[in-house]
Every structure is written in C-alpha cells, then in structure tokens.
Amino acid sequence: MTTTTTAPAPPAAVAEEHQVRRRRRLSPGKRLPATRITGPLLVLALWAAASATGRLDPGAIPAPWTVVETGIRLWTEGTLPRDVLTSLQRAGAGFAIGLTAGIVLALASGLSRIGEALIDGSVQLNRAVPTLGLIPLFILWLGIGETFKIAIIAIVVYVPIYLNTHAALSGIDHRFVELAEVQGLSRFAFVRQVVVPGALPGFFVGLRLGVTGSWLGLVVLEQINATSGLGYMMFQAQNYGQTDVILVGLVVYGLFGLVSDTAVRAIERRVLSWRRTLSS
Amino acid sequence: MAPHTEQLTRPAVRLRGLTRSFEGRTVLDGVDLDLPAGQFTALLGHSGSGKSTLLRAIAGIDHGVAGSGTLTAPERVSVVFQDSRLLPWRRVLPNVLLGLDGEDAEERGRAALAEVGLGGRERAWPTELSGGEQQRAALARSLVREPELLLADEPFGALDALTRIKMHALLRRLWERHRPSVLLVTHDVDEAIVLADRVLVLEDGRIGLDLTVDRDGPHAHGGYRTQLLKALGVSEDAP
Ligand SMILES: Nc1ncnc2c1ncn2[C@@H]1O[C@H](COP(=O)(O)OP(=O)(O)OP(=O)(O)O)[C@@H](O)[C@H]1O
Ligand SMILES: [Mg+2]
C-alpha cells in the first residue's frame, strides 16, 4: 500500500533554555499534614487560654479540663457509656434503614420509567415537608418509644441519599449507555459495570449529607422527647445548671460527627480513586 | 475489481431502501448498499449528510428514530467512536474486556493491547493515556471481540496529523490480519483513499458515488481525489 504524508510536521517547540516558567497553579496544591484538626486545635487553645486567665465565667463556659474531668467521672460512673450506646443504637438503626431505602428507591426510580413515575414525585413531595415537622404525627402513630425516633432519623437520612443518587443515575453520560449497548452488555452487567460506578460520586455526596442528617435528627429527637440517651443527659443537666455535663454531651455529639464523616471520606477516597479532582 | 475478490462472495451488510428521518426531516432517503465480507469501505459526505445516522442504524443503536427499509448485519459488530469512550472508573485492561466473558478473555485482552502497542499499560487509568493511546485502547476493545463488521465514526477526528498517520497504518495492518468488514466514516478524502478499497459518498440521503480504489492499478491517488472532491462539490484550489 502507499502511504502519503499529507501533513507537514509541526514546528519544533522553541525551548526556553534560560528559565522554565510555570503557569500559576489554580488548584490549591498538596494537602498539608493533619489539616483537618488544625482549626479545632486552635479553638481549643483559645478556649483554654481564656479559661486560665479567668476571662470566661466558669458557670457559663467551664474550662476544658473541667469538661474532661466531668466526662471521665460520668464514664466511670457508667451513665455516659449507657447514654452513648442508646444514642448510637438509635442513630445506627435509623441510618441503616434510611441508607437502604435511599439506595433501593433511587435504583428503582432511576432504572425504570414505572419506578420513576411511582417514586420520584412522592419523594419530592416528602422532601418539601420538613421532616422534623412530622414528629407530632409520628408520635401519635408510633407512640413515644424508640420506633418513632428511628423512623424520623431514617427519613432524614434517606432523602438526601435518594436525591443525590437519583440525580447521578439520571445524569449518566448517554455515550456510556450507547457503549454498553454496542458491547452487548446484559442489563445486569450494565447496571453493575456502568450505572453503579457512574452514580457513586453522587451517592457519596448524599451519603455524607445523610450521615450529618442522622446526627441532626438524633440531637433534635433526644432533646424534645428524651427519656434516655445523650440528649436526655443534657436535658437533665440543663435543669440542674450543669454546663460541664452539657458540654460533655456536645463533645460526644461532635466526636460522632467527626468520626463518621472521616470514615465516609476515607471510603470515598478508596472507592473513587479513579477520580482526579481539584481536591485530590 | 477490488482485490481479495475471493472473499467478497457473501455480503456482510445489506441495506435496502433504508430511510431515517428526524422530526419529519428525511436524512436517509432509501439507501441501498451491500458491504461484502472483509471489505474496507470508507464513507464520505458533508457535515450533516447523515453519515453517523447511517452508521448508527447499522449498529442498531438508533432507538426511537423514525424510519423504514430492511437491514441485515452480522452478529458480531464492533463500533469505534470519535471519542475513545473508555469508562473512567476502569483501568485500561478491564475497559478492553467490557462485555467480554470466557476463561481466556483476559489473555485475549492483553494480546489485543499488545497488538495496538499498549502492552504494559494494562493497569493505567484512561486519563493517564494520551489521546492517541486512548483511541488505540478503544481499537483494542473493538478488535478483541473479533467482529465480523467494524464500524468506525471518524475515529481519528480528534487526533493530530502525525498520530493520525500512525493510526492509519495500524488500522490497515489490523484489518489485514483480522479481515473484518470495515465501514469507516470520515470527512477526510485523503484518509478515505489511503485506507479503503472502496469509497462511498453520501449525498441527499443516498449513496451518490461508489468508487472502487484499485491499489495496484495505474490510477494515481490524485485522480481519485479529484473525482471524490467533485462529487462532494468542492473544487481543488491548486491543480
Ligand atoms: N438525535 C437527533 N435529533 C434530531 N436531529 C438529528 C439527530 N441526529 C442527527 N440529526 C440530524 O440529522 C442530520 C444528519 O446527522 P448526522 O449526525 O448523521 O450527520 P453526519 O453526516 O454524521 O455529520 P458530521 O460529519 O458533522 O458528523 C443532521 O442534520 C442532524 O442535525
Ligand atoms: Mg457524524
């Protein structure tokens, strides 16, 4: 065969020998080590300094060490572990149900037109009603026990997971759908190899919102309808003016949030390692 | 006649009166076409003349497009798109193996990658490959299925001139080794003449010109070029 050279070779790049200038970088650059705790540590240091110099009223904001002492006392007395466990069980059960429901509903509505007709509108409606506003109704329906608390948390969790996963599912690049058809993928293989990985970034956005939501729901439920748990502990402390106990509760809530968010981020980084985004 | 006459006995693709229209606007208006098995055919035409529409019809991915006519195509059809269309969440080898199963699938995938010069890059992410390498991976993905028909829609459109020339040689070499029927959509007249044994021009919804390129004959590249440009309604600037 004959090969004709139809295009001239591009002109060789002129090398700048004296100095190589790089463009200004627009992404924030390499991560600093332990960046996430720098801010909180600074706040803690300021708090400690203000308490030590007597600038804070110990009745309103007790010193950090007082909070630690109270925490240790409550822990050794056994009340704190029991309250923490109760709260974790509630949040965990609600979260697990919400997560499952969010995923299943998003898949059903994203993969079939019938599912979309039945589900999507209902969820959008559900989302328009503030979930915490459902508390009175749920108490009447389910009683003031654990069930209604778990149900409320599940609703708070499933909504963002559903919305983000569904949006990601329907936003999957049509070109990849075409590719899957051309490559002769079965419906199951298509879902497993194209749909699910393609929707994962959106799912993780929803997951993080859901995790935050589960703690938020927990705090609200335990403070207005508390008979046990961390919120109950704080509610009682309020009656007796024990700010240190309230702060212990807040610290534990904060730790819940921090640990769970860090865990989700770690999983996300592993699962979405193929993504090279601004924050990588 | 074209070379390899002995292989051109049974048509791989047979179109009769194929029409396709979008919102009442007819794009394909009764296309009749036979593509013999093992033939390398190029399809030229103006932008918007319906080349992609025809290719998508043959590939069977034009869902919901209004049309009529009969179409016969082989069981094993592969498509190479203008973009490499590698799944960003899979490494190169799993991308090549998409939709392929069987015990020896992985081995075949590695062999296909080696064939397109990407041996050793199996574990790379698609974004780590250059544009030309991505397109080569896409070529490996379509070849590993041993297609009877290879449809390619401007597969080199996004590549630079030098990479293109290398890809031309690679595609021709692969075709000579595996002998699928090829239908290559391009808007580059020279690419069509260099690669194909037969060049079609799509015009007003039909095959306006059907030109057999005789590689070993007396006709020069320039003669075909003039003929094709005339059919496309373009006059050559320089004689
Ligand atoms: N999904 C669609 N909906 C509406 N019109 C369409 C659609 N796809 C293609 N068309 C129209 O059909 C005509 C042919 O399109 P087609 O993509 O087949 O052209 P083409 O020959 O491949 O052009 P190009 O060389 O620019 O790729 C165009 O006028 C285009 O606007
Ligand atoms: Mg096109």
Side-chain angles (χ1 to χ4, degrees), chain A residues 33-177:
Chain A
T35 346
R36 304 194 136 272
I37 35 175
T38 316
L41 281 181
L42 198 68
V43 172
L44 192 63
L46 284 175
W47 175 18
S51 299
T53 52
R55 280 166 189 273
L56 289 178
D57 171 15
I61 307 179
W65 41 90
T66 317
V67 175
V68 173
E69 276 165 20
T70 310
I72 292 172
R73 181 172 51 80
L74 290 174
W75 187 268
T76 45
E77 280 172 5
T79 57
L80 187 57
R82 202 184 54 232
D83 288 328
V84 166
L85 197 67
T86 313
S87 294
L88 276 181
Q89 276 168 349
R90 266 175 208 154
F95 179 76
I97 296 170
L99 177 68
T100 314
I103 294 175
V104 169
L105 290 176
L107 280 176
S109 129
L111 294 177
S112 91
R113 292 291 173 214
I114 298 176
E116 187 173 26
L118 291 176
I119 296 166
D120 198 51
S122 322
V123 179
Q124 301 291 348
L125 206 67
N126 186 176
R127 168 203 183 196
V129 181
T131 307
L132 299 178
L134 294 174
I135 292 176
L137 196 60
F138 271 54
I139 292 179
L140 286 184
W141 284 349
L142 301 171
I144 201 154
E146 288 302 289
T147 323
F148 105 89
K149 295 193 182 74
I150 292 172
I152 293 283
I153 292 175
I155 294 178
V156 173
V157 169
Y158 105 95
V159 170
I161 291 182
Y162 170 87
L163 289 176
N164 287 282
T165 310
H166 181 253
L169 278 175
S170 15
I172 283 184
D173 197 332
H174 180 71
R175 298 172 316 136
F176 291 145
V177 182

Side-chain angles (χ1 to χ4, degrees), chain B residues 81-158:
Chain B
F81 300 93
Q82 179 166 5
D83 58 307
S84 62
R85 223 165 276 204
L86 299 169
L87 298 173
W89 48 83
R90 299 187 131 204
R91 292 176 194 267
V92 169
L93 182 62
N95 253 298
V96 168
L97 298 180
L98 185 71
L100 197 70
D101 34 40
E103 297 217 329
D104 58 339
E106 188 172 326
E107 206 175 302
R108 279 164 60 194
R110 285 179 192 279
L113 277 172
E115 235 185 335
V116 299
L118 286 178
R121 305 299 301 275
E122 289 86 357
R123 285 191 53 74
W125 292 106
T127 45
E128 292 169 349
L129 300 182
S130 73
E133 288 170 337
Q134 292 179 8
Q135 207 52 312
R136 276 189 276 158
L139 209 51
R141 179 181 61 200
S142 43
L143 283 173
V144 78
R145 316 166 61 78
E146 286 166 10
E148 295 161 85
L149 173 64
L150 181 68
L151 301 169
D153 195 351
E154 303 193 34
F156 313 133

Side-chain angles (χ1 to χ4, degrees), chain A residues 174 178 181, chain B residues 19-25 53 56-57 60-68:
Chain A
H174 180 71
E178 214 170 74
E181 289 175 0
Chain B
T19 69
R20 289 289 184 269
S21 55
F22 295 103
E23 284 127 30
R25 204 164 52 84
T53 306
R56 295 165 56 81
I61 50 176
D62 58 342
H63 311 293
V65 180
S68 60

Side-chain angles (χ1 to χ4, degrees), chain B residues 21-23 25 27-28 45-56 65 82 153-154 185-187 202:
Chain B
S21 55
F22 295 103
E23 284 127 30
R25 204 164 52 84
V27 174
L28 299 180
H46 285 283
S47 180
S49 59
K51 303 182 294 295
S52 298
T53 306
L54 178 61
L55 196 99
R56 295 165 56 81
V65 180
Q82 179 166 5
D153 195 351
E154 303 193 34
V185 167
T186 172
H187 51 231
L202 192 62

Side-chain angles (χ1 to χ4, degrees), chain B residues 16-235:
Chain B
R16 287 295 175 270
L18 193 77
T19 69
R20 289 289 184 269
S21 55
F22 295 103
E23 284 127 30
R25 204 164 52 84
T26 304
V27 174
L28 299 180
D29 187 13
V31 175
D32 295 326
L33 178 63
D34 283 327
L35 294 183
Q39 191 181 53
F40 199 131
T41 309
L43 179 64
L44 285 170
H46 285 283
S47 180
S49 59
K51 303 182 294 295
S52 298
T53 306
L54 178 61
L55 196 99
R56 295 165 56 81
I58 299 174
I61 50 176
D62 58 342
H63 311 293
V65 180
S68 60
T70 61
L71 191 161
T72 322
E75 187 63 29
R76 294 197 308 277
V77 180
S78 282
V79 181
V80 188
F81 300 93
Q82 179 166 5
D83 58 307
S84 62
R85 223 165 276 204
L86 299 169
L87 298 173
W89 48 83
R90 299 187 131 204
R91 292 176 194 267
V92 169
L93 182 62
N95 253 298
V96 168
L97 298 180
L98 185 71
L100 197 70
D101 34 40
E103 297 217 329
D104 58 339
E106 188 172 326
E107 206 175 302
R108 279 164 60 194
R110 285 179 192 279
L113 277 172
E115 235 185 335
V116 299
L118 286 178
R121 305 299 301 275
E122 289 86 357
R123 285 191 53 74
W125 292 106
T127 45
E128 292 169 349
L129 300 182
S130 73
E133 288 170 337
Q134 292 179 8
Q135 207 52 312
R136 276 189 276 158
L139 209 51
R141 179 181 61 200
S142 43
L143 283 173
V144 78
R145 316 166 61 78
E146 286 166 10
E148 295 161 85
L149 173 64
L150 181 68
L151 301 169
D153 195 351
E154 303 193 34
F156 313 133
L159 303 179
D160 66 281
L162 284 178
T163 312
R164 245 165 122 140
I165 294 171
K166 283 192 204 152
M167 294 290 288
H168 287 169
L170 173 66
L171 181 59
R172 184 82 194 175
R173 213 166 51 234
L174 292 170
W175 170 73
E176 271 160 10
R177 200 175 308 158
H178 300 278
R179 284 292 158 154
S181 312
V182 177
L183 183 62
L184 170 80
V185 167
T186 172
H187 51 231
D188 182 339
V189 173
D190 294 302
E191 181 170 286
I193 303 170
V194 166
L195 282 174
D197 299 315
R198 179 183 176 197
V199 183
L200 309 170
V201 176
L202 192 62
E203 207 185 331
D204 300 326
R206 289 168 198 235
I207 305 297
L209 179 70
D210 188 341
L211 186 74
T212 302
V213 179
D214 186 356
R215 255 159 232 299
D216 313 310
H219 297 286
H221 183 107
Y224 293 124
R225 191 167 195 274
T226 313
Q227 211 177 335
L228 287 168
L229 286 176
K230 198 170 152 227
L232 288 163
V234 184
S235 62

